[in-house]
Amino acid sequence: MTPRKTFLEALVAMLTPRDVLVSCLGANARYLPHLAVPAPCIALCDSMGAAIPLALGMALQRPDRHVIALEGDGSLMMSPNVLATVAAARPENLTALLWVNRHYESSGGQALPAAPVDWVGLARGLGLTHVEPVPDVATLHAAFPRARDARSPALLVLDVAFDPHEEIPPYSERPDEIRARFTVA
Amino acid sequence: MTLAASVPDTWIGRLMQAVRASAKIRAVDVAREEEAVAIACGASLAGGRGAVLIQNAGLLNCGGVLAGLVELYRIPCFFIVSYRGDGRDPIYYHTPKGRVTEATLGAWRLPYALADRAEDLAAQVARGVELADESRGPYVLLITGGDLE
């Protein structure tokens, strides 16, 4: 399986200044300030499950920008209903990446409820039509441009390695600092 | 407003019919109230102005997202909430929600007002939006079915 940071670096390398990035809380939010993200970026440090609906609001407000949401499987497990909301709203400019590592990594690495969730099947069942499993970086390199060009909301389901010893940097920015810097021109 | 995200009840559903008739406001039907809050915040962060139209039962679901998104990131967020179960609501099973609504708003330190249909309701909405903008936080206008007559 692919390490989180490898996926994240590959994604960031594909972003452009015309994109907008919304990250869920946890490891992705903690890594992002250390990467050269070329797009406006807002990273959450709380509020599990808010990344995709936050991105949806942005996508509907700004159809001229492509909005990318990063969400964890622990967060989406709490609120899978949002996928039906996205499917109903049908934004053409929203791509969500679901990071499936089967653990609540930011709260100490506890395992999620031990159910073999079929995220691709669930997303399709809730009405999303552009859903792709992403087992590795090579697939991400092909799948992300397809998602961006899909003219429909897209979900990429990333199979992410869980490493309980991964040294994830701490949060380095406060929410008010993140908010003050975030603008979508 | 540029966007209104909603989970309907009988009263909010009627209000959303009017929203849908507006060419200026994007109506977004959502599955659960926390989504509505985040969607409205997303619209505001992207340069628009988002509102949340829900029942008080749904507002009671929203403590986490209010604290962890709206308050923490200081995002203006205007709510119109149907106040089910207050003394004017004839439906008995709403009563427990009505009993805790204002107490919860107080405990969560959410600024709010009760809509007064004897006065100009449009001005009350405008004032609520303004207060949310000024405080960069939430503001709740509680309405009853009679306010929609």
Side-chain angles (χ1 to χ4, degrees):
Chain A
M1 269 192 282
T2 306
R4 165 188 304 279
K5 191 154 181 267
T6 307
F7 268 137
L8 192 59
E9 288 171 341
L11 173 69
V12 167
M14 288 188 281
L15 298 179
T16 77
R18 296 297 300 164
D19 294 321
V20 179
L21 184 62
V22 180
S23 173
C24 61
L25 78 169
N28 284 336
R30 290 157 59 183
Y31 274 126
L32 281 169
H34 304 280
L35 301 178
V37 180
C41 174
I42 189 158
L44 303 177
C45 55
D46 198 3
S47 202
M48 290 176 74
I52 293 177
L54 192 65
L56 174 59
M58 292 181 189
L60 294 174
Q61 181 64 40
R62 291 298 300 268
D64 57 320
R65 306 294 289 261
H66 200 90
V67 185
I68 295 123
L70 314 181
E71 189 58 286
D73 54 350
S75 288
L76 197 58
M77 188 87 87
M78 288 183 178
S79 52
N81 38 277
V82 73
L83 299 179
T85 298
V86 169
R90 295 193 299 275
E92 296 183 350
N93 58 330
L94 175 63
T95 297
L97 282 77
L98 179 63
W99 303 67
V100 178
N101 71 357
R102 301 164 194 82
H103 289 79
Y104 299 107
E105 190 161 44
S106 64
S107 61
Q110 303 92 337
L112 265 59
V117 178
D118 172 7
W119 287 108
V120 172
L122 178 66
R124 288 179 178 149
L126 287 170
L128 290 180
T129 54
H130 191 106
V131 186
E132 290 194 54
V134 176
D136 50 43
V137 165
T139 308
L140 182 64
H141 280 142
F144 183 69
R146 274 198 299 271
R148 197 204 289 275
D149 296 339
R151 310 296 294 173
S152 69
L155 179 73
L156 304 180
V157 180
L158 280 60
D159 200 6
V160 181
F162 172 68
D163 174 6
H165 304 297
E166 182 178 356
E167 292 193 6
I168 302 167
Y171 287 108
S172 53
E173 295 176 305
R174 293 188 340 204
D176 54 338
E177 295 171 330
I178 294 169
R179 170 70 187 90
R181 198 186 54 246
F182 181 82
T183 55
V184 183
Chain B
M1 311 308 295
T2 61
L3 180 150
S6 179
V7 179
D9 70 351
T10 312
W11 298 346
I12 293 295
R14 286 166 57 195
L15 197 52
M16 282 299 286
Q17 283 182 340
V19 170
R20 285 179 221 289
S22 165
K24 296 180 181 171
I25 305 175
R26 167 73 188 246
V28 186
D29 301 314
V30 314
R32 194 169 164 87
E33 293 81 1
E34 295 99 313
E35 295 172 26
V37 176
I39 290 166
C41 286
S44 296
L45 286 171
R49 197 183 248 164
V52 178
L53 277 62
I54 56 178
Q55 195 194 86
N56 54 346
L59 182 68
L60 296 173
N61 290 339
C62 291
V65 74
L66 278 160
L69 181 66
V70 180
E71 297 274 5
L72 197 58
Y73 286 78
R74 303 202 61 192
I75 304 168
C77 194
F78 175 66
F79 290 73
I80 293 179
V81 174
S82 57
Y83 193 175
R84 307 310 306 251
D86 79 342
R88 299 167 292 184
D89 191 341
I91 310 295
Y92 75 92
Y93 53 74
H94 290 310
T95 303
K97 292 178 294 198
R99 240 183 343 248
V100 300
T101 295
E102 289 188 67
T104 302
L105 288 167
W108 290 356
R109 299 180 183 179
L110 293 185
Y112 73 96
L114 300 174
D116 179 0
R117 75 176 107 163
E119 302 292 331
D120 181 352
L121 283 170
Q124 293 167 56
V125 170
R127 180 67 181 143
V129 172
E130 192 177 285
L131 288 168
D133 278 349
E134 284 174 2
S135 67
R136 291 193 291 154
Y139 190 87
V140 177
L141 184 64
L142 294 169
I143 66 164
T144 69
D147 297 325
L148 302 175
E149 300 299 334

